[in-house]
């Protein structure tokens, strides 16, 4: 599965506009999972950045549904280049040239001599070794779509039961959810693949809390989430070969649009990544 995060070059990576081919995953079947788009967009951009630079931000727009029946062909534009900071734009187009997805990424040198500060701390979320993956917890429940019962490239262990079905929704539980995440296979010493895997994972649940705050269920017939935008700010470099905690919440739902925000912390409680997403949310009652 990790190989899907690594597209192969079709043209010279050093060109002003380079092209890359990436593979797809077949599930879910109606459209490509947005996390794979985020991950590949980040990795292909990083393959054109200067070697010592690391990703510091990603801003993505989901413009149209991407089918799962053909490989992805990416265009990477070198928007700007400097020794300490560069900008790339990764674009995915349909066969007729329409833009389906784009992501702008910024890359910079790590400066240990400049000040750093982090005030946020992870929520209490138990011990990841005492929790179970979604595939174990819901594997036999056919009311939940197969995509949410399959094994993933990451262990994904929610602290509280996610609002998948009506019996899982507890209006008194309050908002927000915490998930422990870790790669299921050894990770290479490659900062791009490690950052790409985080990008992939942060699309898995960040606006799911909208169903809890609305008193509805994620997987009742008629419910749906469609990502519109996704943003990542990397404060440091994550490494999902160890357990990380992903805290997320939805504090605003307006006219069917939910804004989710979240943070990724390492096992020592250091705040490594900030996340936000705007998504369309349709509940079974609407």
């Amino acid at each position: 599965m990790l190989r899907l995060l690594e597209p192969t070059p079709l043209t010279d990576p050093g060109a002003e506009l380079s092209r890359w081919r990436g593979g797809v995953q077949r599930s879910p079947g109606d459209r490509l999972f947005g996390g794979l788009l985020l991950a590949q967009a980040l990795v292909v951009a990083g393959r054109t950045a200067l070697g010592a630079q690391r990703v510091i931000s990603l801003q993505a727009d989901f413009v149209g549904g991407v089918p799962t029946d053909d490989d992805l062909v990416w265009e990477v534009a070198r928007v700007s280049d400097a020794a300490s900071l560069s900008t790339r734009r990764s674009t995915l187009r349909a066969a007729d040239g329409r833009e389906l997805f784009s992501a702008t990424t910024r890359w910079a040198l790590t400066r240990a001599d400049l000040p750093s500060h982090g005030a946020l701390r992870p929520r209490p979320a138990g011990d990841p070794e005492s929790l179970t993956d979604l595939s174990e917890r819901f594997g036999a429940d056919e009311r939940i779509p197969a995509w949410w019962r399959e094994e993933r490239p990451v262990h994904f262990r929610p602290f509280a039961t996610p609002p998948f079905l009506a019996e899982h929704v507890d209006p008194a539980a309050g908002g927000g959810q915490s998930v422990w995440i870790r790669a299921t296979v050894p990770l290479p010493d490659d900062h791009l693949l490690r950052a790409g895997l985080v990008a992939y994972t942060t699309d898995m649940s960040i606006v799911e809390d909208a169903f809890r705050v609305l008193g509805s269920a994620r997987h009742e017939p008629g419910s749906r989430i469609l990502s519109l935008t996704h943003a990542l700010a990397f404060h440091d470099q994550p490494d999902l070969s160890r357990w990380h905690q992903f805290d997320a919440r939805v504090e605003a739902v307006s006219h069917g649009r939910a804004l989710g925000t979240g943070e990724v912390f390492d096992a020592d409680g250091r705040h490594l990544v900030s996340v936000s997403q705007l998504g369309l949310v349709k509940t079974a009652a609407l």
Side-chain angles (χ1 to χ4, degrees):
M1 183 66 206
L2 197 61
R3 63 181 175 77
L4 291 179
L5 307 189
E6 176 72 288
T8 56
L10 297 175
T11 60
D12 179 7
E16 288 298 312
L17 184 68
S18 59
R19 300 176 78 238
W20 305 72
R21 183 182 301 279
V24 299
Q25 60 187 59
R26 306 299 179 184
S27 180
D30 57 341
R31 62 176 58 204
L32 199 68
F33 169 54
L36 184 60
L37 299 176
L38 295 167
Q40 288 194 12
L42 186 154
V43 172
V44 294
R47 293 296 180 219
T48 74
L50 299 181
Q53 294 181 349
R54 299 292 183 263
V55 64
I56 60 170
S57 69
L58 175 149
Q59 294 175 292
D61 289 296
F62 296 85
V63 182
V66 179
T68 63
D69 56 357
D70 202 1
D71 286 350
L72 308 176
V73 177
W74 292 96
E75 298 175 353
V76 178
R78 304 172 72 94
V79 178
S80 68
D81 265 317
S84 61
L85 183 68
S86 62
T87 307
R88 298 292 185 266
R89 184 168 296 118
S90 307
T91 304
L92 183 67
R93 300 187 185 278
D96 61 6
R98 290 179 298 111
E99 183 176 303
L100 299 177
F101 174 91
S102 68
T104 300
T105 50
R106 307 298 296 274
W107 305 81
L109 297 179
T110 298
R111 294 285 303 274
D113 59 318
L114 296 178
S116 297
H117 169 70
L120 295 179
R121 294 294 180 266
R123 296 168 46 157
D127 175 12
E129 298 295 347
S130 68
L131 303 174
T132 56
D133 284 17
L134 292 179
S135 59
E136 299 175 70
R137 190 181 295 195
F138 300 111
D141 195 335
E142 295 186 356
R143 295 173 298 170
I144 296 172
W147 162 241
W148 293 99
R149 296 183 283 120
E150 295 174 353
E151 293 185 1
R152 309 288 186 92
V154 290
H155 294 292
F156 196 81
R157 299 183 176 181
F159 176 55
T161 302
F164 282 179
L165 301 171
E167 61 262 34
H168 302 155
V169 180
D170 180 5
Q177 63 180 5
S178 298
V179 181
W180 286 99
I181 54 177
R182 195 190 74 194
T184 57
V185 297
L187 295 180
D189 185 14
D190 184 334
H191 67 95
L192 289 176
L193 291 180
R194 292 180 177 187
L197 188 58
V198 169
Y200 179 99
T201 307
T202 57
D203 190 46
M204 288 170 60
S205 69
I206 185 167
V207 296
E208 190 172 79
D209 190 46
F211 292 93
R212 183 179 285 109
V213 302
L214 294 172
S216 185
R218 171 73 174 92
H219 294 305
E220 295 294 334
S223 296
R224 191 170 178 84
I225 292 176
L226 290 175
S227 303
L228 297 177
T229 67
H230 197 97
L232 299 169
F234 289 83
H235 313 301
D236 212 329
Q237 299 303 304
D239 177 8
L240 291 192
S241 61
R242 301 173 60 217
W243 285 111
H244 284 52
Q245 182 175 329
F246 180 28
D247 291 343
R249 71 208 66 83
V250 168
E251 296 176 343
V253 182
S254 177
H255 308 288
R257 297 182 297 272
L259 177 64
T261 57
E263 299 82 33
V264 177
F265 301 91
D266 68 11
D268 297 322
R270 293 190 306 133
H271 179 198
L272 303 184
V273 184
S274 295
V275 191
S276 68
Q277 184 179 95
L278 182 67
L280 293 176
V281 173
K282 185 177 187 298
T283 68
L286 298 178

